[in-house]
């Protein structure tokens, strides 16, 4: 076999090889520069409150009350976190919020995915009317359901329980999840379902083996969108929860308001930092799951 030597770079006058010139970097255009400035400003607006919250949770009570609340702390202390756990039941509040958030998300994902699968994939008579009714549910305010739900929960014995918070949260979030799943199922080729049907798979097997694995990113999106509102829910928990043992985080933070409206602000900020941590961990896990779903889809493609 004949081998060919790599071509040498042309030599300059003096015996030195000629090095290829690197392309000169052009200055960014005004539009790109403006977009970078805008993105940087948005990052500052989003990150600054979290940084300020954490720094304030480490300030002494006298430093916060007597100085500038937006200035850097003159001294750091962890006594605020000790008072936060002493004044309230943070551990129990976080556990209750986790139970409500996970339970509501399970119902939202399962019911929303199965409803969208029936509307978009299987299809039936008047399916468009049913989809329109789901979309109408997006504009229904939650306040109109408080009194009827309170009366019904009292009659059936669901008042002051976890389902009393999980069911309405899942019900009011269901229309948006059905819409998101329907939009995703619309882009799945019909040939995939037809090939599975020819192989003898029924609708339940197609849903479990094809639709569910392909919907990982949509599931993560639905969970991320709804987790914020469920975690911060106050109106349902304040209406249907009567005992101290079932209070979620928004209700538990009321324990830091003392007599005559006096509030221990530094302990409150420390409690908020503690209660935000599980939500940030959940989002990190969901973000990793979304990246895994994208990589898996790209490798299959």
């Amino acid at each position: 076999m004949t081998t060919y030597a790599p071509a040498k770079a042309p030599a300059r006058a003096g015996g030195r090889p000629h090095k290829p010139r690197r392309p000169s970097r052009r200055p960014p255009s005004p539009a790109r520069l403006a977009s970078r400035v805008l993105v940087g400003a948005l990052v500052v607006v989003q990150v600054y409150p979290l940084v300020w919250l954490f720094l304030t949770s480490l300030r002494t009570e006298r430093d916060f009350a007597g100085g500038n609340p937006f200035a850097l702390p003159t001294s750091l202390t962890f006594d605020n976190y000790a008072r936060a756990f002493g004044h309230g039941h943070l551990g129990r509040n976080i556990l209750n919020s986790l139970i409500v958030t996970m339970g509501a998300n399970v119902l939202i994902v399962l019911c929303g995915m199965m409803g969208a699968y029936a509307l978009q994939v299987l299809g039936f008579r008047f399916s468009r009317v049913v989809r329109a009714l789901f979309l109408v549910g997006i504009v229904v305010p939650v306040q109109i359901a408080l009194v009827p739900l309170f009366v019904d929960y009292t009659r059936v014995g669901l008042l002051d329980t976890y389902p009393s918070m999980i069911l309405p949260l899942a019900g009011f979030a269901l229309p948006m999840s059905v819409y998101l799943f329907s939009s995703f199922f619309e882009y799945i080729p019909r040939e995939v379902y037809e090939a599975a049907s020819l192989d003898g798979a029924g609708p339940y097997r197609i849903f479990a083996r094809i639709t569910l694995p392909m919907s990982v990113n949509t599931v993560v999106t639905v969970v991320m969108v709804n987790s914020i509102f469920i975690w911060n829910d106050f109106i349902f928990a304040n209406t249907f929860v009567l005992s101290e043992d079932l209070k979620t985080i928004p209700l538990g933070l009321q324990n830091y308001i003392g007599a005559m409206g006096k509030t221990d602000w530094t302990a409150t900020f420390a409690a908020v930092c503690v209660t935000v941590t599980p939500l940030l961990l959940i989002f990190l896990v969901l973000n990793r799951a979304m990246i895994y779903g994208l990589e898996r889809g790209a490798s299959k493609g």
Side-chain angles (χ1 to χ4, degrees):
M1 296 179 64
T2 305
T3 58
Y4 297 92
K8 296 182 179 180
R12 291 183 181 177
R16 294 182 180 178
H18 176 73
K19 295 183 179 180
R21 295 183 179 179
R22 296 181 179 179
S24 58
R25 294 183 178 180
R26 297 180 180 179
S29 61
R32 180 172 296 181
L33 185 61
S35 64
R36 291 179 180 177
V37 173
L38 180 60
V39 170
L42 291 176
V43 170
V44 171
V45 170
Q46 294 292 331
V47 174
Y48 173 75
L50 296 177
V51 176
W52 178 82
L53 180 68
F54 177 72
L55 292 178
T56 307
S57 68
L58 297 176
R59 298 179 69 171
T60 60
E61 230 179 328
R62 181 178 299 177
D63 184 21
F64 179 76
N68 184 6
F70 298 100
L72 294 176
T74 56
S75 60
L76 301 180
T77 179
F78 289 94
D79 293 339
N80 301 325
Y81 289 88
R83 292 202 316 275
F85 281 96
H87 291 175
H89 306 279
L90 281 182
R92 187 65 184 179
N93 299 146
I94 294 174
L95 179 61
N96 293 333
S97 293
L98 285 174
I99 293 174
V100 173
T101 302
M102 294 175 62
N105 277 318
V106 169
L107 283 180
I108 291 169
V109 170
L110 289 180
C111 296
M113 186 181 296
M114 289 188 293
Y117 179 76
L119 291 172
Q120 186 67 36
V121 180
L122 299 181
F124 55 90
R125 194 175 182 182
F126 302 117
S127 60
R128 294 185 178 181
V129 177
V130 176
R131 183 183 303 176
L133 292 176
F134 272 109
L135 295 180
V136 170
I138 298 177
V139 299
V140 176
V142 299
Q143 289 79 6
I144 65 174
L146 293 178
V147 175
L149 285 176
F150 187 89
V151 174
D152 292 338
Y153 287 161
T154 304
R155 291 176 179 175
V156 300
L158 281 180
L159 196 64
D160 199 23
T161 59
Y162 288 121
S164 64
M165 295 179 284
I166 293 175
L167 292 177
L169 287 170
F172 279 97
L174 192 59
M176 181 59 69
S177 64
V178 170
Y179 176 76
L180 291 175
F181 281 115
S182 298
S183 301
F184 173 74
F185 294 160
E186 187 178 357
Y187 291 97
I188 298 179
R190 301 292 300 183
E191 291 78 7
V192 176
Y193 297 115
E194 293 175 358
S197 299
L198 292 176
D199 289 339
Y204 297 102
R205 188 175 181 182
I206 293 175
F207 176 80
R209 295 295 183 88
I210 297 178
T211 306
L212 185 59
M214 295 179 66
S215 306
V216 174
N217 292 334
T218 308
V219 170
V220 173
T221 302
V222 171
V223 172
M224 291 179 68
V225 169
N226 292 301
S227 294
I228 299 176
F229 298 100
I230 298 173
W231 189 268
N232 297 327
D233 171 68
F234 179 82
I235 186 169
F236 288 123
N238 189 45
T239 305
F240 304 135
V241 171
L242 306 177
S243 61
E244 191 73 25
D245 293 336
L246 292 179
K247 283 187 176 182
T248 56
I249 290 173
L251 295 182
L253 292 178
Q254 289 182 324
N255 295 328
Y256 301 95
I257 301 177
M260 305 298 292
K262 182 181 179 181
T263 306
D264 189 353
W265 289 111
T266 52
T268 303
F269 292 143
V272 173
C273 288
V274 173
T275 55
V276 166
T277 303
L279 189 62
L280 293 177
L281 295 177
I282 291 174
F283 273 90
L284 289 176
V285 173
L286 293 176
N287 187 28
R288 182 57 187 169
M290 180 175 289
I291 295 174
Y292 173 75
L294 291 174
E295 293 176 351
R296 186 178 179 185
S299 61
K300 287 186 177 181

